[in-house]
Amino acid sequence: MSPRVAAFRPDDERMAEAVELLESLGAEPVADPMLAVETTGAVPRRDADVVVFTSATGADCLDPDWSPGGATVCAIGPATAGALREAGIAVDLVPGTYSSTGMIEALGDGIAGERVEIARSDHGSDVLLEGFDDAGAYHHETVLYRLVRPDGAGASTEKAAAGDLDAALFSSSLTVEHFLEAAADRGLVEGAIAGLNRAVVGAIGDPTRETATAAGIEVDVVPEEATFEALARATLSEC
């Protein structure tokens, strides 16, 4: 029987791609979107020396008239870089490690005294801000979009509590938090966590793993590359 695998991506092309990938890997997808995007209409500053984008969603939310001017444009991860290029924005730097820490390390000591614009969601990690502080940079944050839990999300929590999930793919800390909130709405927190701990749980990176572990969810897989495809492949290899 095909393993039943929960995915929590937004209900757009990302979930469609996730379902297609899981089916191609021989799994039965349980699509349960835990994130919805609400754009803010905010525009990144145009007077920065460096502009950092942390997600493809942020690139998709950009005002088409915005331009980085002469700033160095940085993208965390190839998906973010690809979305920026599709929007007509040249990307100067993609760190080898797709994380806030990797971005700070890639920019190095030369960032001291620079004006850094960080364009991202309302749930961005403090790691990036603290890293720029430590490096002596001046930073400003623009919230391009908010991430909210969609109405009706949580069918996967019922399956987890019933023992009907073989694996779960947490693609951000917020998907973990929203899963638990949806379980709480149904009075299923303990049962859902117990069900996950009988399944194979994948987390896309260490911050997501830490969020899950702190809630009592045992994480079995953290892929070397922080992409959904790598997460899915690595998790399914343990099923």
Side-chain angles (χ1 to χ4, degrees):
M1 190 173 77
S2 299
R4 292 175 294 264
V5 182
F8 308 114
R9 308 206 81 188
D11 190 16
D12 54 24
E13 69 278 357
R14 284 163 291 189
M15 182 61 87
E17 291 169 359
V19 167
E20 182 179 359
L21 173 63
L22 291 170
E23 289 177 341
S24 75
L25 295 173
E28 178 185 332
V30 177
D32 192 7
M34 286 289 172
L35 299 174
V37 176
E38 292 183 351
T39 58
T40 64
V43 178
R45 293 178 62 165
R46 292 179 168 88
D47 60 351
D49 300 304
V50 176
V51 183
V52 176
F53 291 91
T54 64
S55 70
T57 302
D60 293 340
C61 292
L62 273 176
D63 185 313
D65 294 328
W66 180 82
S67 167
T72 298
V73 176
C74 305
I76 295 182
T80 305
L84 286 167
R85 291 178 181 125
E86 286 183 12
I89 297 171
V91 176
D92 302 296
L93 176 65
V94 180
T97 301
Y98 309 149
S99 67
S100 297
T101 301
M103 178 61 72
I104 297 296
E105 292 175 350
L107 286 167
D109 296 336
I111 200 66
E114 298 283 270
R115 291 170 297 179
V116 180
E117 172 72 346
I118 304 164
R120 59 181 186 174
S121 80
D122 62 329
H123 282 84
S125 167
D126 288 339
V127 170
L128 198 57
L129 305 183
E130 292 168 357
F132 284 128
D133 282 338
D134 292 342
Y138 305 98
H139 61 74
H140 176 267
E141 183 178 17
T142 295
V143 174
L144 297 176
Y145 61 100
R146 300 184 182 91
L147 292 170
V148 299
R149 179 162 58 100
D151 292 338
S156 62
T157 67
E158 299 172 11
K159 289 186 178 296
D164 290 336
L165 279 186
D166 298 298
L169 307 174
F170 289 106
S171 47
S172 69
S173 288
L174 200 54
T175 58
V176 177
E177 294 168 9
H178 285 180
F179 177 93
L180 294 171
E181 289 173 9
D185 288 348
R186 294 163 171 77
L188 294 174
V189 173
E190 291 185 6
I193 291 175
L196 288 180
N197 289 343
R198 290 190 294 269
V200 179
V201 174
I204 203 164
D206 285 333
T208 305
R209 176 187 58 79
E210 290 165 5
T211 300
T213 301
I217 299 170
E218 298 168 6
V219 175
D220 304 288
V221 176
V222 178
E224 291 186 8
E225 184 180 82
T227 65
F228 184 83
E229 181 173 351
L231 173 65
R233 291 183 180 278
T235 303
L236 278 168
S237 72
E238 300 296 323
C239 288

